Amino acid sequence: MRETNTVKKSRQEKKQIGQFFTDPRTAAYMASCIENPQKQTLSVLDMGAGDGILSLALIRRLLAFPVKELTVTLAENDLLILPALIDTVNTMDMLCREHHIRLHTRILAVDYLLADDDQEYDIVIANPPYRKIRKDAPEAVHMAAYVSGQPNLYALFMAKGIEHLKENGQVVYIVPRSWTSGLYYQKVRNFLLQSIRLSRLLVFSDRTLAFSCEDVLQETMILAGRKTREPSRIRLDIYKDCSFQDGTRFFFSDDELITKDGILCLPENESQIKALRKFSGQMSDFGSYGYVFRTGPVVEFRNREYLSEEERPGDVPLIRGINIQMGASILFPIRTGKNQYISSKAESVLIPNQNTVMVRRLVPKESPRRMIAAPYFSGREKETDAIGVENHVNYLTRADGTPLSAFEVKWMSDLLQTEDYDQYFRATGGSTQINASDLNHLPLRGEPMKRNVEQYAYPCLNDARDILRAIGMPETLYNPRCVMTFCACAEVTDEKWKRMSEAYHTTHDIIGFINEHFPNKAGLDKQGYQPNSRETFRDETLHCWVNAAIMEARPGIPTNSSENGYRFTAEFAALVRTYHTEDWEDQLSAFRATHEDYKTQLKQVKALAKGYPVSFGGQTFELKRNKHNRLQKLILEEFAPRFAKDPELLYIGDATDRDLVIDRDRMQELGIHVFDDVSILPDVVLYDKGTNRILFVEAYSSTGEFTLDRVKQVLSLCETTCELSFITAFETTRKMLSVYPHIAWDTDIWVAEDASHMTHKNGDRFLGRTLESLVSSTDSDSDKESHT
């Protein structure tokens, strides 16, 4: 970070040996991390000493303590820097003489990683060289105990310094932050975190400024700690650059910053701290639920003869990072001058064409989102047996090889794109890469117990799911917790439903039964249900079944009493006993004829809360009373008649019913592919038969304008020859102006208070663009959008 007056080297020369000098301000900060050593005689090791600036700053720090004698060892094998180092040693000697401190120095002009040094030190301070080396390099072989994957000199120096640190000794390093996570640094990380207790951490939030004096782009941190087993309080400082001005400071305990997998978290703001604390203590991760992220096997330079930008006979899709768009399904193909196809002959690097979630591996820290994921649905892009996945993409599979359902893929993709996961990864990700191992160890906070499982290891659980589904229960009431509860209340662990119980069962009984007969939540978790989950069973399963009239509570007992019990109604139990018999179908038909299914009951309850009557194109329905729906009503009654010649309503959603009005067949016919999920659709979708134009309308209340990314999301659903218009609707001009800079170019704006007019933002046409022209313009519009 600072170059001496003695040595002038080019950036390339310094990069070859991993040498970056320490700025005086940074050296002073590092020295300030050393606490009162409570000793009069001290020994110091400075590895990769350079011109000696760290040792000089440390001596100035130690002047504040009652130190009488110092022995300083400076290890530096760059012979060109030795004259500058000797000059600094002379300055150190003069300073110590002035303060009556006896100073002994020795310079080791060797590679310290290979040095035979049997001494231990009270203080280790270092700005080690940052450079990747081969696994068979002498340093890597000598320090093999700390090598896993691609070795880097700085990490080996970190381990070496701690090896030579005395008990209760102090250490302070300035290093890249990549060691804090990832498999390559796991051995070094485990050794360091088990050997010392961290006391100080500093993160530079802007990697372009932390080493600006050296013209190097590096995410860097400072860490300090003590070799002790005593718990410590960790101070975390956040500064933009090495001026150390206007920083932010937080304090943590060890277990708040070190995860169960031994990853050191470095949150930089309150949002990241909140995400860390939300996932704190979470024992389950993606891997523990049987999910495995893998890295795409197609390395371009090794497979050039199989790759093509244009499709050829026998080619299959090649998915790369650019195809993964935030909030959308995979966009394929995208014309960027990059290869989008790979020959089916490249069998060794192809994967089965199955549903998956794809995640970009390389995302700049400065990106609005670090976690960019998208669902991939097999057959949507092209009907092939296999596809290619480029090496800068991670993709999701099951460990046992069974395919993922479309439901799982959408659920997983949505989960990874939440703000909590983005902030959590920013706090835990030690590099700009998102590796498969990082994803596999992301915590999973119970959500899998709310999803559906296609096949359980216990046949009775599959039966319970099928029974609940057959009587019309919504998906949330035949998730894993529900089907295990069903078997517990029936006291069935095999497939003999004729012997099901009608006894009352408390939540304590139910949890005990499940943990005994379906350990670790039927193998879906690393642990069973805890006693404090009783309320979840009661509120999210048992009470719902009582409302659905298939279960009854023990009479005369308060709902929240531990003595309260639940049992299946006699009528429902009689139906269940016929399962796996020839009477099942007849009895099921009779039961459903006299029992309204619970999904219908829920819809009726929702309907009671709605209040805006709407009649449009022969359809009549109601929207719940709120500001958002009031604007949706105006869109249909004021906007559509004015700006569409012959409008047809394809879709409108409601906060309580996203499928309020939807014509899937008509949308499919027009080239809008929504499948089972409508979350990407805007609030209102209209088709103008008079102009062959599809109108996508967002009703803006507090969010929801058509940004460039939002346009791309909707485009991912479209494969149509119709003209497309994207309209953001507002109630007032004032509200429109508050978000105008964020609205995408070549989209339209309609304000209800001035209903007879519409504004088109830029472009050579007022309404409508073809799909082809929209796709080709979105990338070039990105610059225009950000400039606005």
Side-chain angles (χ1 to χ4, degrees), residues 163 456 517 632 687 693 725 750:
E163 283 185 344
Y456 293 95
H517 297 283
Q632 290 200 124
Y687 173 59
R693 179 181 297 137
S725 289
W750 179 73

Side-chain angles (χ1 to χ4, degrees), residues 620-765:
T620 301
F621 49 91
E622 285 187 326
L623 294 168
K624 185 178 179 180
R625 288 188 175 273
N626 57 46
K627 290 183 179 179
H628 183 264
N629 285 342
R630 183 173 64 201
L631 180 54
Q632 290 200 124
K633 179 179 171 67
L634 291 171
I635 290 168
L636 295 181
E637 296 178 349
E638 301 291 336
F639 168 84
R642 283 184 168 93
F643 297 100
K645 293 182 178 179
D646 188 8
E648 175 184 353
L649 180 60
L650 302 179
Y651 170 78
I652 187 169
D654 187 284
T656 55
D657 188 354
R658 291 289 295 171
D659 294 339
L660 181 63
V661 174
I662 183 167
D663 191 338
R664 296 180 186 276
D665 292 340
R666 183 64 168 140
M667 283 197 285
Q668 187 74 18
E669 178 185 335
L670 292 170
I672 306 172
H673 308 301
V674 294
F675 297 92
D676 294 327
D677 181 58
V678 298
S679 61
I680 297 179
L681 285 176
D683 297 307
V684 180
V685 182
L686 299 161
Y687 173 59
D688 186 358
K689 292 178 282 188
T691 59
N692 191 31
R693 179 181 297 137
I694 298 171
L695 307 176
F696 295 108
V697 189
E698 285 282 28
Y700 183 95
S701 51
S702 57
T703 59
E705 72 273 22
F706 263 123
T707 62
L708 181 61
D709 287 339
R710 188 73 182 96
V711 171
K712 287 183 177 181
Q713 284 183 337
V714 178
L715 285 176
S716 70
L717 305 176
C718 300
E719 189 176 354
T720 180
T721 57
C722 300
E723 285 192 345
L724 306 178
S725 289
F726 296 83
I727 301 101
T728 307
F730 300 84
E731 277 200 300
T732 65
T733 302
R734 183 176 181 179
K735 186 165 285 189
M736 180 271 289
L737 292 174
S738 69
V739 297
Y740 180 84
H742 306 295
I743 300 173
W745 294 103
D746 294 313
T747 65
D748 305 287
I749 299 168
W750 179 73
V751 180
E753 69 179 10
D754 193 9
S756 61
H757 294 84
M758 188 157 59
T759 302
H760 183 69
K761 189 171 179 181
N762 198 42
D764 54 359
R765 300 184 61 181

Side-chain angles (χ1 to χ4, degrees), residues 285-301:
D285 54 28
F286 279 72
S288 67
Y289 286 105
Y291 296 108
V292 179
F293 280 96
R294 306 183 192 277
T295 301
V298 179
V299 180
E300 287 204 87
F301 76 87

